[in-house]
Amino acid sequence: AYGQMRRIISGSLRLLLFLGMPVTIVLMILRQAIVSVLFERGLFGAESTDLVASALLLMSLGLVALLLLEVIARSFYALSDTLTPVVAGGVQVVMMMVLTIWLRDAVFAPRGWLPLGALALGYSLSNYAEVAVLLWLLRRRVGGLDGRRLFNGFWRITVASLLMAGSMWLALSRLDDQAMWAQLIVGGVVGSLVYLLASWLLRVEEMQQILRYGRGRLSRR
């Protein structure tokens, strides 16, 4: 009875991974340039840029989890279960507070790091914990989540994302640290091209779908 629902959930999660992981890479690697171009003017100087960029780095880690939660929560809603996502969200808030306090006192304070980073990292990690718990509960409810297909997409997308990150790092290493616009343009273009090419070579299903859709649109013209 849940076969079609499992396929829809699995496909949606894979698509979000395909879109979310490269965006995460871009935010993490180009964080300094992004914050500088958007905000560094007037009273917002280089010190403020460093502070916000460090928070953006740690917050970006949780982007994929936030995307996945949207689909997972709505899957429970489709099952007429609104309580489970709400309870899980409440547990996530408590876990975030505990993690933040522990990270602040045990990790960040001894190294002289600002506690803002502890809050950002605690938020990201607690969201992944919420994703793991909800996926486990959802899997029990619908009799599986097509895990083999999910894992098959996950490792391919991860490899493509790592190749993207490596190419961006190599390209940025040849640019001036102060050339923020150049970093955004070169890093964004190089990273995007490498990710798309790697996804095609690795036969990522979502990339193949995009290509088929593009060919279909062109053939109808």
Side-chain angles (χ1 to χ4, degrees), residues 40-53:
E40 194 170 307
R41 56 185 61 86
L43 296 177
F44 197 104
E47 185 177 348
S48 300
T49 295
D50 291 339
L51 179 62
V52 175

Side-chain angles (χ1 to χ4, degrees), residues 54-83:
S54 63
L56 178 60
L57 170 66
L58 298 173
M59 289 291 288
S60 299
L61 294 173
L63 176 61
V64 171
L66 291 174
L67 292 174
L68 298 181
L69 280 172
E70 290 297 314
V71 169
I72 297 169
R74 281 164 174 74
S75 299
F76 279 99
Y77 301 155
L79 295 169
S80 300
D81 181 359
T82 58
L83 179 61

Side-chain angles (χ1 to χ4, degrees), residues 104-219:
R104 181 195 65 190
D105 296 340
V107 178
F108 282 72
R111 293 166 174 79
W113 298 345
L114 292 175
L116 174 64
L119 175 60
L121 184 56
Y123 177 74
S124 295
L125 294 177
S126 62
N127 275 305
Y128 279 107
E130 183 182 1
V131 166
V133 171
L134 285 177
L135 277 178
W136 179 71
L137 292 173
L138 184 60
R139 180 176 178 274
R140 290 169 60 89
R141 288 288 297 273
V142 300
L145 284 176
D146 203 358
R148 185 171 298 178
R149 180 167 174 257
L150 268 176
F151 179 75
N152 183 54
F154 173 75
W155 80 259
R156 295 172 192 269
I157 293 169
T158 299
V159 172
S161 298
L162 292 174
L163 291 172
M164 173 188 179
S167 67
M168 290 177 67
W169 177 82
L170 185 61
L172 294 176
S173 68
R174 301 175 182 275
L175 297 176
D176 187 342
D177 290 341
Q178 303 303 316
M180 298 303 177
W181 276 105
Q183 289 184 33
L184 282 178
I185 296 171
V186 174
V189 171
V190 170
S192 298
L193 291 176
V194 169
Y195 181 72
L196 293 175
L197 178 60
S199 297
W200 178 70
L201 292 173
L202 289 166
R203 301 182 181 275
V204 175
E205 184 178 316
E206 287 66 30
M207 186 65 197
Q208 306 299 323
Q209 291 174 358
I210 292 173
L211 291 175
R212 286 195 297 268
Y213 175 78
R215 292 191 191 111
R217 295 284 295 182
L218 290 174
S219 65

Side-chain angles (χ1 to χ4, degrees), residues 8-30:
I8 293 173
I9 294 172
S10 173
S12 299
L13 293 177
R14 281 180 53 130
L15 180 60
L16 290 175
L17 285 172
F18 178 72
L19 298 174
M21 290 185 72
V23 173
T24 298
I25 296 295
V26 167
L27 291 175
M28 292 176 65
I29 293 181
L30 297 178

